[in-house]
Amino acid sequence: MTEPFPVGIDGLAFAGPAAYVDLADLAQARGVDPAKFTRGLGQHRMAIASPCEDTVTMAVEAGAQVLQAFDIDPAEIGTLIVGTETGVDHSKPVAVYVHDLLGLNERCRTFETKHACYGAMAGLTSSMDWIASGRARGRKALVIASDIANYGLGTPGEPTQGAGAVAMLVDRQPRLLEIQPASIGDYTRQVMDFWRPLYSKYALADGQYSIQCYLDALAAAREDAVGSRQDLLGELQACLYHVPFVRMAFKAHQRELEMEMGQAISKDEPEQWHQLQDSYAKRCAPWLTLNAEIGNIYTGSLFLSLIDLLRKAGSKLAGQQVSLFSYGSGCGATYCLGKITECAGEWEARLDPSAQLAARRRLSIDEYEYMVRAGEHADRLESLNPDDYGLSGGLYYTGTRDDRRHYESV
Ligand code: CAA
């Protein structure tokens, strides 16, 4: 059945913290061969949020940017969803702070979604349903993924940290990516691969098991989306995945190719191995630069890869088909197909966060560790000064007074 009108992603923007850690510095401090982080995990830097930068401030920054870059009046937004697993309150949604700070219309449906790294995909597909049902009445949805990945000092997960927000406009006749609803496949299974108990600031992970859970979820969600097709990759110009660390995308692509070939691919079989490397080099690697520079931003990481693709190849890949895979530990997953619009190339420059990344400050490992320890108590401090963390010119969390969080533009 043909859809009455295409629905999908109409605008995208990224915003992240002002500082980062270089993984070569971290490797040296932890006594690890830097190649483990750069080649083994595929990561080069990780964005580090100071105690004054939280899920709210990053979401507001990304939201304001997407509205401005894609010329949208805030009054046009009829749904606001913030996907996050690192919210700032057990009850009050991040989305309500964001709604206020972006000056959105009161006639707006606003909520937060949590399912580990899957929250933003849940927001995207639910916004698409909202539009397709007719309930949107011409209004647009704003979906924002915002997270701080924090595993703790000296843990195996430490080099796979990061922080940032991706804001997406969702609309009919989208300007960037059409998503085919009939191609959406889903998967859910109760597993303990990664979680964060209520008492902990830090995520817990059964690392190697989480990789297996991710790959099993990919296989199952893809099968739900497109059945046992063995000729899909040939039609795709890009395969985008949830990226907890860049090398995970290689493992995911290997699993997809193995499904199509009906057999395991091994380094000992040079022909198959080259086929995998060629396919990965064409369909995945070019769109993982931002992920390697920023790290895991949990629910936004798939969409960070989409920004990378559209800023580099929006025009070149106009009209071409791509796949998207979102994985949330615990676990839930969605696999779907999308088509890059004919006009996507017009937005390449506006999508590019290079200037923002170039302005970031490189932290020494001492500064990074100080920041992490300070973050443990930030929710309870009455007053925080952004100056202490070298911050200016933005919206910041400035402390909790009378049990209420305060945000101020500095
Ligand atoms: N030079 C080059 N490569 C090296 C190396 C060296 N000197 N030393 C090790 N490597 C390679 C290893 O061979 C390995 O590669 P392969 O997996 O391809 O074999 C890679 O570097 C990592 O090494 P280890 O597996 O030994 O690393 P580890 O066990 O210390 O930690 C990790 C890896 C499990 C991913 C850990 O960082 C972690 O727990 N991360 C958090 C959990 C996570 O990201 N899970 C991903 C799936 S779940 C998900 O996607 C949701 C989410 O966002 C969290």
Side-chain angles (χ1 to χ4, degrees):
M1 197 178 80
T2 40
E3 297 303 321
F5 49 80
V7 181
I9 300 177
D10 186 57
L12 280 164
F14 166 80
Y20 71 92
V21 162
D22 192 291
L23 288 191
D25 297 344
L26 185 70
Q28 194 185 19
R30 301 289 179 256
V32 172
D33 179 356
K36 175 174 177 182
F37 295 168
T38 53
R39 287 215 306 277
L41 296 173
Q43 292 302 132
H44 293 281
R45 292 173 175 178
M46 57 184 191
I48 300 297
S50 71
C52 295
E53 296 160 302
D54 69 9
T55 308
V56 172
T57 64
M58 296 187 302
V60 171
E61 185 56 41
Q65 275 183 36
V66 83
L67 294 174
Q68 190 189 21
F70 288 84
D71 303 317
I72 299 296
D73 180 341
E76 292 178 62
I77 303 299
T79 279
L80 169 67
I81 304 172
V82 176
T84 183
E85 64 183 271
T86 46
V88 298
D89 191 287
H90 288 306
S91 168
K92 191 177 169 77
V94 167
V96 167
Y97 286 107
V98 175
H99 177 277
D100 176 46
L101 291 161
L102 286 179
L104 302 190
N105 200 313
E106 285 185 358
R107 292 185 185 182
C108 181
R109 180 179 74 142
T110 298
F111 58 94
E112 178 176 313
T113 51
K114 181 185 74 179
H115 187 152
C117 306
Y118 181 72
M121 178 57 97
L124 169 61
T125 50
S126 121
S127 297
M128 289 173 57
D129 295 345
W130 175 71
I131 291 165
S133 72
R135 189 176 158 194
R137 302 191 302 269
R139 293 169 300 169
K140 300 162 201 312
L142 176 58
V143 178
I144 308 180
S146 187
D147 268 311
I148 298 172
N150 215 340
Y151 292 91
L153 302 175
T155 59
E158 188 181 29
T160 65
Q161 296 178 139
V166 173
M168 287 181 262
L169 292 163
V170 185
D171 200 3
R172 52 166 68 192
Q173 316 288 5
R175 286 173 280 181
L176 299 179
L177 185 79
E178 294 171 10
I179 295 175
Q180 291 120 35
S183 78
I184 300 177
D186 301 306
Y187 173 76
T188 300
R189 187 159 68 99
Q190 155 34 23
V191 292
M192 290 301 284
D193 64 330
F194 165 105
W195 66 104
R196 188 163 67 86
L198 286 176
Y199 54 78
S200 178
K201 276 260 176 204
Y202 301 109
L204 306 180
D206 187 343
Q208 300 300 336
Y209 178 56
S210 72
I211 293 172
Q212 280 318 310
C213 292
Y214 174 120
L215 294 174
D216 291 348
L218 166 63
R222 176 186 151 126
E223 206 156 305
D224 189 42
V226 297
S228 52
R229 278 190 66 177
Q230 292 186 304
D231 57 353
L232 178 66
L233 289 178
E235 290 174 14
L236 300 177
Q237 290 302 312
C239 298
L240 306 178
Y241 301 101
H242 167 55
V243 190
F245 53 92
V246 163
R247 190 70 182 167
M248 190 68 225
F250 182 83
K251 294 175 191 289
H253 200 60
Q254 178 171 353
R255 175 60 72 93
E256 278 209 74
L257 195 56
E258 287 175 345
M259 289 174 80
E260 297 218 341
M261 292 169 80
Q263 62 182 101
I265 298 174
S266 145
K267 265 187 190 159
D268 303 333
E269 298 283 346
E271 203 177 308
Q272 295 169 346
W273 192 251
H274 280 133
Q275 197 179 335
L276 168 60
Q277 285 185 316
D278 288 350
S279 182
Y280 176 77
K282 174 183 169 191
R283 298 187 175 89
C284 314
W287 334 123
L288 292 165
T289 334
L290 293 176
N291 298 85
E293 288 292 304
I294 293 162
N296 192 0
I297 59 167
Y298 287 161
T299 187
S301 81
L302 163 67
F303 303 101
L304 190 58
S305 185
L306 178 60
I307 291 179
D308 207 13
L309 180 150
L310 291 169
R311 74 171 175 147
K312 288 174 179 162
S315 356
K316 199 172 123 208
L317 298 186
Q320 300 295 325
Q321 190 157 234
V322 303
S323 64
L324 294 93
F325 172 66
S326 170
Y327 176 72
S329 286
C331 72
T334 286
Y335 184 100
C336 64
L337 301 179
K339 192 175 92 173
I340 297 171
T341 62
E342 294 297 339
C343 67
E346 292 170 28
W347 306 93
E348 281 177 5
R350 291 197 207 188
L351 284 161
D352 193 353
S354 299
Q356 198 189 128
L357 296 182
R360 292 188 301 177
R361 190 166 71 88
R362 180 175 178 165
L363 296 174
S364 69
I365 296 302
D366 283 348
E367 285 175 299
Y368 152 65
E369 294 187 351
Y370 171 77
M371 210 107 112
V372 171
R373 293 202 173 96
E376 287 176 2
H377 311 289
D379 290 337
R380 289 175 181 275
L381 290 182
E382 285 208 346
S383 176
L384 284 151
N385 186 355
D387 258 359
D388 294 347
Y389 303 99
L391 299 171
S392 61
L395 173 80
Y396 300 112
Y397 164 64
T398 57
T400 295
R401 298 182 276 284
D402 193 20
D403 293 322
R404 287 155 173 80
R405 289 179 84 84
H406 288 263
Y407 292 94
E408 288 168 50
S409 288
V410 177

